[in-house]
């Protein structure tokens, strides 16, 4: 007897454990699924024409730097014109840049696109049952995430996590968790980043979950990047210097009351941090829906 999904002619939710084991198998194989990224990578960058780590890591891949008019000439001395996308305004913040990128990507017919910070040092994997993070070809990480997200009809955003937190994770990938820093977005999803100066990526993830989409957070497919405020440029002066980080987080909390608090960590490199008040992500129960009417090609 068939299950109710086959009776109704509807796709069956995909088992989370199957996805987790599949990702670990792909990690273990240690072979990129393609030689170049299927979806273009956009790197919002400010004041770092000669201090852009991500472009070095992604050398040879399909990427564009997204820069402000005031920075364009400086970047054009380092990068060719076909790797530069100029914003229409200066000093509007990271959320403005992210929304601009998504609108641009959608306007040229792209189905999905990547957004990556400009201070990534490397990409890493952690094999099942091990405690070591291993530097790998970026295309191993990128191609696995692209392949997995393309399997489903209802994933709004996928994220490659920071290696800092890998030790605390017991799974390679989880659904309906926060996706941030290095993300692959579905352009068909009608969501924008909120105009906040920090945690705009958390806002996007929560909006997606609130309207019923799934998200994918890859924990053992990772990136290493500089800690916030280490390098000049970027959002350092706009959102993080002095008490600006605290104010940025407080503005974010207004959008999501009852879920976060700002905690002080005096005499540390990051004196203000955003913390959950409860495990509210467990409230989102939507399941991954597998594509059954088209072949996933890579």
């Amino acid at each position: 007897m068939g299950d109710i999904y086959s009776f109704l002619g509807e796709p069956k939710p995909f088992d989370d454990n199957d996805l987790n084991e599949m990702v670990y198998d792909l990690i273990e194989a240690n072979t990129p699924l393609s030689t170049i990224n299927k979806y273009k990578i956009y790197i919002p960058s400010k004041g770092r024409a000669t201090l852009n780590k991500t472009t070095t890591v992604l050398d040879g891949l399909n990427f564009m730097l997204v820069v402000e008019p005031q920075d364009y000439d400086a970047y054009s001395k380092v990068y060719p014109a076909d790797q530069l996308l100029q914003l229409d305004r200066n000093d509007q913040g990271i959320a403005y840049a992210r929304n601009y990128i998504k609108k641009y990507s959608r306007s040229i017919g792209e189905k999905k696109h990547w957004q990556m910070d400009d201070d990534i040092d490397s990409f890493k994997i952690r094999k099942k049952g091990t405690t070591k993070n291993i530097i790998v070809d970026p295309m191993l990480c990128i191609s696995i995430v692209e392949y997995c997200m393309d399997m489903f009809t209802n994933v709004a955003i996928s994220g490659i996590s920071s290696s800092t937190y890998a030790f605390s994770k017991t799974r390679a990938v989880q659904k309906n968790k926060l996706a941030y820093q290095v993300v692959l977005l579905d352009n068909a999803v009608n969501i924008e980043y909120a105009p906040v100066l920090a945690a705009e990526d958390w806002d996007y993830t929560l909006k997606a979950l609130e309207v019923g989409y799934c998200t994918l957070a890859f924990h053992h497919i990772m990136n290493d990047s500089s800690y916030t405020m280490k390098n000049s440029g970027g959002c350092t002066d706009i959102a993080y210097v002095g008490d600006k980080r605290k104010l940025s987080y407080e503005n974010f909390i207004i959008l999501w009351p009852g879920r976060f608090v700002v905690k002080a960590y005096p005499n540390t490199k990051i004196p203000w941090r955003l913390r959950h008040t409860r495990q509210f992500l467990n409230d989102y129960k939507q399941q991954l829906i597998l594509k059954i009417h088209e072949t996933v090609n890579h």
Side-chain angles (χ1 to χ4, degrees):
M1 180 177 178
D3 59 35
I4 190 171
Y5 296 98
S6 59
F7 176 76
L8 294 173
E10 295 180 356
K12 184 176 181 179
F14 194 81
D15 185 79
D16 298 357
N17 291 323
D18 288 345
L19 177 62
N20 189 63
E21 291 306 311
M22 185 187 78
V23 171
Y24 272 131
D25 286 346
L26 292 170
I27 287 173
E28 186 69 33
N30 198 23
T31 303
L33 301 176
S34 58
T35 57
I36 196 165
N37 46 304
K38 179 178 181 180
Y39 300 112
K40 188 180 295 181
I41 299 165
Y42 293 87
I43 307 167
S45 188
K46 180 180 174 68
R48 291 175 176 168
T50 58
L51 184 64
N52 201 299
K53 297 181 178 182
T54 304
T55 58
T56 300
V57 173
L58 299 179
D59 185 41
L61 300 186
N62 182 12
F63 68 81
M64 291 188 77
L65 282 156
V66 184
V67 303
E68 296 176 345
Q70 62 191 353
D71 287 338
Y72 187 86
D73 286 346
Y75 279 82
S76 67
K77 294 176 181 178
V78 183
Y79 301 95
D82 61 0
Q83 288 186 330
L84 295 175
L85 174 63
Q86 181 176 285
L87 296 168
D88 58 349
R89 300 169 65 185
N90 293 320
D91 301 323
Q92 298 302 301
I94 186 60
Y96 181 88
R98 294 197 188 284
N99 286 329
Y100 189 98
I101 290 168
K102 184 177 178 181
K103 290 175 184 176
Y104 173 82
S105 176
R106 182 186 289 166
S107 75
I108 62 173
E110 295 174 347
K111 292 183 177 180
K112 295 184 178 75
H113 74 279
W114 286 94
Q115 293 195 24
M116 298 188 185
D117 292 351
D118 65 359
D119 57 354
I120 296 171
D121 294 304
S122 63
F123 285 84
K124 296 181 175 180
I125 52 95
R126 178 179 286 213
K127 296 183 178 181
K128 186 177 183 180
T130 69
T131 59
K132 185 178 180 181
N133 299 336
I134 305 168
I135 295 177
V136 294
D137 181 344
M139 273 309 303
L140 177 64
C141 300
I142 290 168
S143 63
I144 292 175
V145 174
E146 290 183 338
Y147 180 80
C148 290
M149 188 164 169
D150 278 352
M151 289 174 58
F152 305 106
T153 65
N154 64 331
V155 176
I157 183 172
S158 298
I160 294 178
S161 303
S162 169
S163 63
T164 304
Y165 307 107
F167 75 94
S168 66
K169 306 299 182 181
T170 59
R171 298 177 70 84
V173 59
Q174 285 183 291
K175 74 173 188 300
N176 303 341
K177 302 298 182 183
L178 292 172
Y180 57 94
Q181 195 173 27
V182 175
V183 293
L184 179 60
L185 298 95
D186 186 337
N187 287 344
V189 174
N190 191 26
I191 295 172
E192 290 190 349
Y193 288 89
V196 290
L197 296 178
E200 80 292 337
D201 39 12
W202 290 21
D203 169 80
Y204 192 99
T205 295
L206 290 171
K207 284 177 178 173
L209 292 170
E210 283 288 310
V211 297
Y213 285 100
C214 285
T215 65
L216 291 176
F218 290 81
H219 303 309
H220 290 168
I221 293 176
M222 306 161 283
N223 77 92
D224 259 352
S225 62
S226 303
Y227 62 81
T228 306
M229 296 178 65
K230 179 179 180 180
N231 300 317
S232 60
C235 293
T236 300
D237 295 334
I238 297 173
Y240 298 132
V241 170
D243 284 343
K244 287 183 179 180
R245 177 190 288 271
K246 180 173 182 287
L247 178 60
S248 298
Y249 287 161
E250 287 172 345
N251 289 334
F252 171 78
I253 288 173
I254 293 172
L255 299 176
W256 300 97
R259 302 191 182 200
F260 300 93
V261 293
V262 181
K263 289 191 175 182
Y265 292 80
N267 303 316
T268 66
K269 294 175 181 177
I270 305 177
W272 301 101
R273 301 178 196 179
L274 199 60
R275 293 291 183 242
H276 299 176
T277 56
R278 66 182 184 87
Q279 295 300 316
F280 59 83
L281 288 171
N282 294 331
D283 297 344
Y284 301 107
K285 306 297 185 183
Q286 51 263 45
Q287 300 296 311
L288 295 165
I289 302 299
L290 188 67
K291 290 180 181 177
I292 60 173
H293 298 300
E294 65 178 86
T295 302
V296 177
N297 293 314
H298 213 286

